[in-house]
Structures are given as C-alpha cells and as structure tokens.
Amino acid sequence: MLHTDHAGVSSPDLHRGDGPRPFGEGELLVMLALSFVVFWTAQVVLHQSADFVIHFGDNKAYLDVANAILHWDFHGLQVQHFMGYPYLIAAVSLLFHIPAGLAMWLIAVAASVMSVWMTARLFGTLVAGYFAFTNFAWLQVSFLGGSEPVALALGLGALLAFRRDRIFLSAFLASLSVTVRPLMFFVLVGIGLVLLYRRQFAHFLGALGIGMGIGILYALPLARYFGDPLLTVHTYTERDYGAAKVVGPHGHLFGWPFHGIVAGTLAYPAPWTNLVLSFFWIGLVLAGVGMMFSRDFRKYARVWPNEVIFCGLYLLAVFSYDYLVWARSNFIRFSIPALPFVFYALLPRLPKDRRVLWGLCLVSSVLSAISVVGVRNVFPGMR
C-alpha cells in the first residue's frame, strides 16, 4: 500500500495493522547517535588512538586530491577515484576554515545521517533502521569517512526530489552523485527513461542538459591538467588499481554475472569469517531480489519505476563486477546504494519489533569497530 505523508510525498505504508507501529524518525536519530558513540568508543578502546581515520579505506587518496584542489596544484598527483568527494571536502574546508581531514570526516557523518533520514522518507523508518544498523561497511564509511554516504545522500535526494516532481533538482543531485560514485549514473538513467515514457520531452531535455553540463564542468580540469577528460573513468577500466602488486589473476571491470565472485573466491582464499560475512550479504541481496517479484513490490514499482530501474541496473552491475580481488571481498560495500530497496522488498519477512533494531544498533556498532581493527588482532586465536 502507498499513502501520502505530510510532505506530500507518496511513500510505502509500512504499518499494515498486523504488528506494532514502527518507531518514529526521532527515535531513529537517537539510535544513530547511540551507534556513533558505541562505534567510536569501541574503536578508541581497541585501537588506542584516533589517527586511523586518515588511513581507513580510500581516505588518504581522497585527501591527497582534496589538498591538491585546495592549492590547485595537481603536479605529480595520482588520481584513483572520481573527484566529487574531494571537491566537496575542499569546499567545506575553505568555507569553514577547517583541516581537510576534519572536513572529510564531518561530510561523511552528515551525509550518513541524511541518507538514513531520506531512506525513512522514501521507505519508512523500519527499512531505514535495517539499512542503518546491519551493514558493517556502511557503519565504517559513515563514522570514519568514505564516499558512499555522499553518493547515496545525493542519489536518494534525487529520488525524493523526483517524487515531488522537482525534475531539474532531481537531475542536478543525480548528476552530482555520479561525480562521487560512477554507478550512480543509473539514477539518471531511471529518471530519463521515465520522462521519455511519460512523453515529458521538455523535462527530459532539461535533465539531459543539466547532466551534460555537470559532466563537462567535471571533465574540464581533467582535460586541462591531466590531458584526459575521462581520466577517472579510465582508472576504473584500464587497471585493477589497489591490487596492482597482487600476484594472480585480476579479471576486468565487468564480465558475466557472478563470475568475479566465484572466480575471485577460488583464486584468492580468505579467512572463514570473511567468507561467511561476504556470502551472507550476497545471499541476503539475492533474497531481496527474489522478493522484488512479490505483489507489493510490483505495486511500488509501478508507482516509482525510475527507482526500480536504478536498483535493477545497479545490482546487475555489482553482480557483474569482475575484478577478482574485490568482487566478493568488497560486495558488502558495493551493495550499499541498493540496500534500501533490498530491505523494502524483504520487509514482509523482517521482524517488526523495535527491540530487534535496538539490538542491531548496539551489536553491529561493536562488531563493525572490531572489523576495522581486524578480528585476528582482537581475537588472536581465530583463523
């Protein structure tokens, strides 16, 4: 069922009268704050310092680019990722006169909160709670820094704007999300296809112009200073960056679905804890895909087809990712933008009791902190 909320936005009616009413957005924000405190407390206790933020994930690479932007000096810079996140880091650093590292961290935390809030706006607080407190990688990039919260906040903002018929704002936010994570391009694809289907050609051309304009502005510095306007596209397609020194097969950016996951698992053995975690999430996402053929989800798809187009194309790309080193090991992170849709599809099968989510909030925050430090470092006897 769908209903119209106080903001005039159609959203899923998650309370079907067969259980307790889901908690409100205020309680969800309290849970987020508690998760933040628990995560950071565990991190400091286990790591004995807070300097790991700079070295977590791809943060150092993003900071190098942000500092180059701040000084507008790209000499000797090795660009690995799309530059939307570093541009935002540099802008916040300049605007508030704070170090780039602090700006990077604040942006990730704020974008994470906005992503969870917009998930609640789009799919309800219960879905937002499961999204916020189950995925270890999401908690880590939210509280330590990463591009995923920024890309998702922009992408979900685009979907929310489209629901409100603010087409040009939707196209603008979606285009910005592409400069952060390239697969967010499918948000634009969904918007464009629906506008064409509705024969809203003027809106389609306007959205196309906005996307092309942002793309040109993004590419101009790359062409000027690196001689390649598609440099950050080529860093994904021409080499398996981050694994250049790994001895063994590497694969390609995209291949047949599941090939990279299976071949990568066979080629690069991993601890059983990593395998269990990875395949749990692969199985959960596949279960969600199966539930997307249910009657309730099909009703939702008919109302908001652009969102389902994004989710379907995004998941196809993730399952077809073929760099063998990362396809399975990073699936938990790659799947993040599709998880709100997965949990909405799974909602009829998920516990509705708020105590379950309070438990997830606490347990997942501790376990994700342990995951950052390393299970073997915390529990040396584990193999």
Side-chain angles (χ1 to χ4, degrees), residues 25 28-29 32 110-122 124-125 127-133 138 142 149 152-153 156:
E25 292 175 359
L28 179 63
L29 292 176
L32 280 173
S112 171
V113 173
M114 292 194 66
S115 296
V116 173
W117 177 81
M118 283 188 283
T119 298
R121 294 272 84 190
L122 290 164
T125 52
V127 172
Y130 277 105
F131 166 68
F133 305 120
W138 170 251
S142 295
L152 188 56
L156 293 177

Side-chain angles (χ1 to χ4, degrees), residues 229-373:
L230 299 178
L231 174 67
T232 49
V233 174
H234 293 154
T235 59
Y236 282 83
T237 59
E238 292 182 354
R239 67 180 189 274
D240 183 4
Y241 65 86
K245 297 181 180 180
V246 175
V247 178
H250 284 243
H252 305 282
L253 181 59
F254 293 114
W256 291 104
F258 301 102
H259 174 267
I261 293 172
V262 174
T265 301
L266 295 175
Y268 299 100
W272 69 267
T273 50
N274 290 357
L275 293 175
V276 168
L277 185 63
S278 296
F279 282 105
F280 168 80
W281 277 99
I282 292 169
L284 184 72
V285 172
L286 288 175
V289 171
M291 288 294 293
M292 289 176 189
F293 294 93
S294 67
R295 183 177 62 180
D296 284 346
F297 195 90
R298 292 200 306 271
K299 289 180 180 179
Y300 152 72
R302 285 192 292 270
V303 178
W304 305 117
N306 63 298
E307 299 178 11
V308 179
I309 290 171
F310 160 68
C311 177
L313 292 177
Y314 185 91
L315 285 177
L316 177 62
V318 169
F319 279 113
S320 301
Y321 186 78
D322 207 41
Y323 281 139
L324 306 188
V325 179
W326 311 118
R328 180 211 40 90
S329 63
N330 278 261
F331 182 89
I332 185 173
R333 179 170 65 89
F334 294 158
S335 65
I336 285 173
L339 293 185
F341 306 90
V342 169
F343 282 118
Y344 177 59
L346 290 171
L347 190 59
R349 301 289 186 265
L350 295 176
K352 309 299 190 295
D353 194 325
R354 57 165 44 90
R355 290 173 295 183
V356 173
L357 285 172
W358 277 100
L360 282 173
C361 168
L362 296 173
V363 173
S364 293
S365 299
V366 173
L367 292 179
S368 61
I370 291 174
S371 177
V372 173
V373 178

Side-chain angles (χ1 to χ4, degrees), residues 105-292:
W105 180 74
L106 290 174
I107 290 168
V109 173
S112 171
V113 173
M114 292 194 66
S115 296
V116 173
W117 177 81
M118 283 188 283
T119 298
R121 294 272 84 190
L122 290 164
F123 300 109
T125 52
L126 197 57
V127 172
Y130 277 105
F131 166 68
F133 305 120
T134 54
N135 187 292
F136 295 171
W138 170 251
L139 290 169
Q140 291 162 3
V141 296
S142 295
F143 298 150
L144 296 179
S147 63
E148 286 81 7
V150 179
L152 188 56
L154 291 168
L156 293 177
L159 299 182
L160 194 58
F162 194 81
R163 287 193 182 191
R164 295 177 174 178
D165 291 322
R166 302 179 67 178
I167 306 301
F168 296 148
L169 175 61
S170 179
F172 177 72
L173 293 174
S175 300
L176 290 179
S177 73
V178 179
T179 70
V180 181
R181 300 294 296 182
L183 288 185
M184 300 305 289
F185 173 73
F186 295 129
V187 178
L188 280 173
V189 173
I191 292 171
L193 290 178
V194 169
L195 291 176
L196 286 175
Y197 177 78
R198 293 176 179 174
R199 298 182 180 274
Q200 295 178 326
F201 299 122
H203 282 152
F204 172 80
L205 291 175
L208 180 63
I210 289 171
M212 292 182 64
I214 291 177
I216 291 171
L217 289 175
Y218 176 84
L220 282 176
L222 297 177
R224 170 66 177 82
Y225 295 101
F226 297 96
D228 182 2
L230 299 178
L231 174 67
T232 49
V233 174
H234 293 154
T235 59
Y236 282 83
T237 59
E238 292 182 354
R239 67 180 189 274
D240 183 4
Y241 65 86
K245 297 181 180 180
V246 175
V247 178
H250 284 243
H252 305 282
L253 181 59
F254 293 114
W256 291 104
F258 301 102
H259 174 267
I261 293 172
V262 174
T265 301
L266 295 175
Y268 299 100
W272 69 267
T273 50
N274 290 357
L275 293 175
V276 168
L277 185 63
S278 296
F279 282 105
F280 168 80
W281 277 99
I282 292 169
L284 184 72
V285 172
L286 288 175
V289 171
M291 288 294 293
M292 289 176 189

